[in-house]
Amino acid sequence: GVYTAVFTDEPTGLTVTKDVNVNAKKQSSNGGSVIITPPVEETVTFTDIDGHWAEDSIIAAAEKGYFNGYQDGSFAPNNGVTRQEMAVVLVRVLGLTDKLGTVKLQNVNDEAAIADWAAPSVALLLDMGIITGYEDGCFRPENVITREQLCTILARALTEKPATLKD
């Protein structure tokens, strides 16, 4: 299985932590020791999804890192998703988190309304042409995303294959 290994060079005390694929939990090496422990399973919980019809799907998506929920521990399963929340989720789902911070928001009239936690995702997806703003140059980050907008965004992301997704 995959374990987290802590490699310690005994003469120097240098320690390195790395995920490794091994069949044993403990091994030794020349001049040092290796302690290998199984990964810690994180259980995702939200305060407001118990018994909700989508509970299993919400937990599965959260365990994959697509959703974090809110700071108070809730998920708000019956609320709509804002445009800026969807941008963050879409970056995670498409595996683009390593590209965050590579572009800055430009030509967005309501840039100040975009939350700091969402700005890098919004900037990236705008730059890639996956999402767009409105004709007046605003993004309207707090608006609940409509079904039409979501379908358009998903079609762009999944069928047009922007250059940065081909990697």
Side-chain angles (χ1 to χ4, degrees):
V2 176
Y3 295 89
T4 300
V6 178
F7 300 91
T8 304
D9 180 53
E10 291 173 1
T12 64
L14 179 66
T15 301
V16 177
T17 302
K18 183 178 180 180
D19 288 338
V20 294
N21 194 355
V22 294
N23 293 324
K25 291 185 179 180
K26 291 184 179 180
Q27 298 178 346
S28 62
S29 63
N30 296 340
S33 63
V34 179
I35 301 170
I36 302 174
T37 56
V40 176
E41 294 288 329
E42 289 189 34
T43 304
V44 175
T45 58
F46 296 108
T47 59
D48 58 349
I49 64 168
D50 190 35
H52 191 277
W53 65 267
E55 180 179 1
D56 292 341
S57 297
I58 292 166
I59 290 171
E63 286 176 345
K64 291 182 180 184
Y66 300 155
F67 291 94
N68 292 333
Y70 295 98
Q71 288 181 344
D72 66 357
S74 68
F75 183 80
N78 297 317
N79 289 1
V81 177
T82 66
R83 291 171 49 84
Q84 66 185 350
E85 289 171 333
M86 183 51 64
V88 171
V89 170
L90 193 55
V91 164
R92 292 174 183 161
V93 169
L94 294 174
L96 299 173
T97 56
D98 62 327
K99 297 185 185 311
L100 291 173
T102 60
V103 295
K104 299 213 181 282
L105 281 169
Q106 297 179 21
N107 304 318
V108 179
N109 291 342
D110 59 349
E111 179 178 339
I114 300 171
D116 291 342
W117 53 264
S121 295
V122 172
L124 178 63
L125 295 180
L126 282 170
D127 185 67
M128 294 174 70
I130 293 175
I131 59 174
T132 60
Y134 290 87
E135 289 179 8
D136 64 358
C138 291
F139 181 71
R140 298 190 182 108
E142 288 293 331
N143 282 13
V144 172
I145 195 161
T146 66
R147 294 169 69 104
E148 299 91 342
Q149 291 168 345
L150 181 58
C151 287
T152 301
I153 289 167
L154 291 175
R156 286 184 193 132
L158 301 175
T159 61
E160 292 180 18
K161 300 286 186 201
T164 53
L165 289 179
K166 292 180 183 174
D167 300 335

